Each structure stands twice: as C-alpha cells, then as structure tokens.
Amino acid sequence: MTGLILYFAVSLLIGILACFFGKKMFFQVFAAVAFLVVFDIALTRGDGTTLTLIIAVLLGVAAAFLSKYLYKLSVFLLGALAGAGIGSLLSTLLSSQIGSYSWAVILGCAMLLGFCALRWGKLFIIGSTAYLGAGVLAPRVYFLVQHFADLNAYAGSDIVGTMQALHDHVSGPFADANSEIILTITIVLTICGFLFQRFFGWKD
C-alpha cells in the first residue's frame, strides 16, 4: 500500500503545482517535472530492485538541480515537454493516418513549442506548465475515480514494484483504453490552470 500512496501523492502534488502555480513556482515546478520524468524513465528501464530506485532518485535529483542553473534551456525544455505531450496525443488520435511516423509528429511538436516558449516567455510558461500539470493529473485522477474501491488489487509485494507496475498500467493500457476521456479532462484542466495562473498567479 505504501507504493500506491507514494505514487499518487507525488504525482498529484507535482501535477497540481505545475497546473495551477507553474509560473509563480517555475524553477520548483520545472525541477519537480524534470525529477519526475527522469525518475520515471530510470524506474521503467530498471529491474525493480532497491538499487534501481536509489539510482532513479539520484538521477532525478541531478536533473532537478541542473534545471535551476540553465534558465533558457529550462524554458525551451518545458515547451518541448508540452509539445511532446501534444504530439503524443495527436499521434494516438491520428495513428491510422500517420502510421510509423508518429515520432516525427512528436519531435516536430516538441521543437515547435520549445522555440515558441523562448519567443513568448512568460505567457508560454503559463500555458506549458498548465498543460504539463494537467497531463500528469488527468490519467491519475480518472484512474482513482474508476478504481478507488479496488486500489488494493494494484498493490504489489514491494514499493518499487508497485510504483513501476502502476506507472506502466496508468500510462499504458489504462490511458490507451480511455484516451478520449483523459484528453477531455486534460483540456479542461489546462484551461482552468491557464486562467488561474493568468489572473491570480501572474503578478510580474
């Protein structure tokens, strides 16, 4: 059960901070997103041992630390991450039309939004963080709504295994099976996050 609590607590906290306070807490949010992305990749590529968890945490901390000292790169990468997310959604919705060229759509969207982020700075940071936060929140919130009563069924025998299995399931089969609903939730949360940041969080 500890793995379930950690997975959802960390994911939802990062999602809320990014979606609704991304501009005000830009460095903290980007560091958290960098940590989460690198941590997820390291955890997914690992073998589920305690050593894997330690390495994933260390790599995530290193990515978070570096992001603070590379402002323009951070802004570009933030836009690129949002673009990659949009490209991924587009490639899923248009899979029959684009075939094996989904990587080109994802890369193109990532580069486009990365350069847009550099050009339009603050406003784009608000949009990017709102979208990134919404992208983290949407599948996890919908998963909790659908499976709250039987969450124990997803608890493994160890923390690392539970977190890895949950990540794979929520980001994979569950997201694919509910792509339209999750996309709708993502859009609604992005709009809410953007408006909240624009009118309540943007003071400079």
Side-chain angles (χ1 to χ4, degrees):
M1 198 65 179
T2 304
L4 286 170
I5 295 172
L6 280 175
Y7 176 79
F8 284 110
V10 173
S11 298
L12 295 180
L13 177 61
I14 290 176
I16 291 169
L17 289 177
C19 189
F20 297 100
F21 304 97
K23 173 61 180 71
K24 182 180 289 187
M25 302 176 65
F26 172 72
F27 288 114
Q28 295 92 326
V29 166
F30 187 78
V33 171
F35 172 85
L36 190 62
V37 170
V38 174
F39 179 81
D40 277 347
I41 293 172
L43 197 62
T44 302
R45 296 293 179 87
D47 54 8
T49 62
T50 303
L51 179 60
T52 297
L53 178 61
I54 293 173
I55 293 174
V57 169
L58 291 176
L59 289 174
V61 170
F65 180 79
L66 288 174
S67 68
K68 183 178 181 180
Y69 298 98
L70 301 169
Y71 177 76
K72 286 192 174 181
L73 180 60
S74 298
V75 173
F76 175 82
L77 289 177
L78 187 65
L81 283 171
I86 293 173
S88 180
L89 285 174
L90 288 175
S91 63
T92 299
L93 294 173
L94 303 173
S95 57
S96 58
Q97 286 87 356
I98 62 178
S100 60
Y101 292 99
S102 59
W103 63 270
V105 174
I106 295 172
L107 180 61
C109 289
M111 295 299 292
L112 177 62
L113 267 71
F115 285 114
C116 285
L118 289 176
R119 175 63 179 84
W120 285 289
K122 295 177 181 177
L123 192 63
F124 209 89
I125 288 174
I126 291 178
S128 296
T129 54
Y131 175 76
L132 285 172
V136 172
L137 289 172
R140 291 159 179 84
V141 169
Y142 189 59
F143 180 86
L144 286 174
V145 170
Q146 291 289 93
H147 298 284
F148 188 78
D150 60 338
L151 271 181
N152 282 334
Y154 295 90
S157 58
D158 64 280
I159 295 175
V160 178
T162 298
M163 294 177 68
Q164 188 169 345
L166 263 177
H167 172 71
D168 292 342
H169 179 69
V170 173
S171 303
F174 180 79
D176 293 339
N178 301 279
S179 59
E180 293 184 0
I181 296 176
I182 290 174
L183 175 60
T184 302
I185 297 172
T186 301
I187 292 172
V188 171
L189 286 174
T190 299
I191 293 172
C192 291
F194 181 88
L195 293 175
F196 183 88
Q197 289 193 61
R198 179 62 182 88
F199 295 106
F200 297 101
W202 190 359
K203 301 299 182 184
D204 52 345

